[in-house]
Amino acid sequence: MISRRKTRKVTIGDAAHGFVSIGGDAPVSVQTMTAGYTWEIDKCVAEIHKLAAGGADIVRVAVPEKKDTAALKEILPQVSVPIVADVHFHFQRALEAIEAGIHKIRLNPGNINDRSQVKEVIAACKARKIPIRIGVNEGSIVERRDKQKRMKELGGVFSHNKNGHLLAIMIAKLEEYLEVFQEEDFHDIVISAKSIDPLLVMDAYSEISKRFDYPLHLGVTHAGPKETGTIRSVVPLGTLLCGGVGDTIRISYANDPIYEVQDGLELLWVLGLRPRIGAELIACPTCGRIQVDLFKLVQEVRKELAKEIRVPIKVAVMGCVVNGPGEAEGADVAIFAGDRKGIIYVQGERVANVPEAEILPALLDECRKFQALVESGKARLGEKKVDILPPDPIGELGSGWEKIQKDKADKGLILPVRK
Ligand code: SF4
């Protein structure tokens, strides 16, 4: 169990779009950002629908121009999740978005730093109870008035950190910006401090979590393509979350934002920070023992499970019986492949032995049936989880069960008795 840092709670949304809380006792939320133009109203609405259907709790849109904030008045009534306006450079865009009914504003201290302008935005948000995210991005911070002095102070504090000078200026910028909000007694705040450097991200959020009790929006900015951005994002975000730091997350890829939502949810599910929705798929990496096209099968199973399975059934797709049964322990539904065939188990009970071409439909059929049993209360997830017995390959799969038995007996391991 991860023990989360105590923070203030911020709530965004309204009755029509639902309320999402960030921080306090609220679950960690997943957010993303549309990739298209906000002023292309129909496309923007369609993208928000897709991301919400994929599990996004909050969706952010860019509003660089007046035509974008003008579009919000038409977009907001058509969508069902809270929407955040991402504002850079022009504080008027924030005021227009607030007027249009936006649920949260993101300000970048790096490019909206005129105190009177920030105060105008704060006043408008306060009047409508709209929270503000202060997003200090390493790439867009600018020099503060007393930068040299504060940099020198903080530079010494962070001299042991990689990129300690950037960490120092991010913290200094945040402190300076927060002064304005504190002067206005405005605390409906979420903080982010993103960088492309995962180590800097971890250091920045760790330092901020020690200094302020505002909820934190975690993210790695410009993480790159999904293929490499996953590691770049998940390492720092996962590390911070495991340490109890982080109240809402956005993974960012140079790709369709639906992947940001999918990976963000998966990260929270595997850490036990949110209850899983849909099947959990376990699959072996394959090796020289494989006798079916497991990679293709796993991808097909993944796609089909996502379409039909609502309850968190644990499904295992294993290439053979050598490690399969042990590694599939805990699976509700499992398939062990062999010589162009597969044997399917449901909670320890062998239910089918089918040729390779029939594995996918047979496995899905068993998942559907098991889901119906769970939903009707006739079966429980995770029950009988250690009872999966390996099929005997001598008669059925032909890959040497006797040898496996002997090897395990030689090592003093106790084997399950085959029924
Ligand atoms: S389950 Fe079998 S095929 Fe898959 S990696 Fe393990 S030993 Fe290899």
Side-chain angles (χ1 to χ4, degrees), residues 284-287 289-290 318-320 322-324 327:
C284 85
T286 82
C287 69
R289 297 176 187 88
I290 196 75
M318 308 304 286
C320 77
V322 173
N323 295 316
E327 289 170 3

Side-chain angles (χ1 to χ4, degrees), residues 28-35 47 51 55-60 133 137 192 194-196 198 201 205 216-241 246-271 273:
V28 180
S29 51
V30 170
Q31 51 183 292
T32 186
M33 190 166 178
T34 54
E47 196 176 7
L51 297 170
D57 300 302
I58 300 164
V59 177
R60 184 160 41 117
R133 170 161 69 94
N137 272 23
S192 66
K194 302 186 187 182
S195 163
I196 193 173
V201 167
Y205 282 103
L216 300 182
H217 163 127
L218 303 186
V220 173
T221 193
H222 311 130
K226 176 171 161 45
E227 291 76 7
T228 52
T230 307
I231 300 286
R232 187 179 283 277
S233 300
V234 165
V235 168
L237 268 55
T239 305
L240 287 163
L241 288 167
D247 305 286
T248 182
I249 61 171
R250 190 242 171 149
I251 290 178
S252 60
Y253 295 142
N255 207 322
D256 186 331
I258 193 68
Y259 296 121
E260 302 177 358
V261 179
Q262 290 170 356
D263 288 1
L265 285 170
E266 188 64 35
L267 177 58
L268 299 182
W269 289 338
V270 298
L271 294 179
L273 285 166

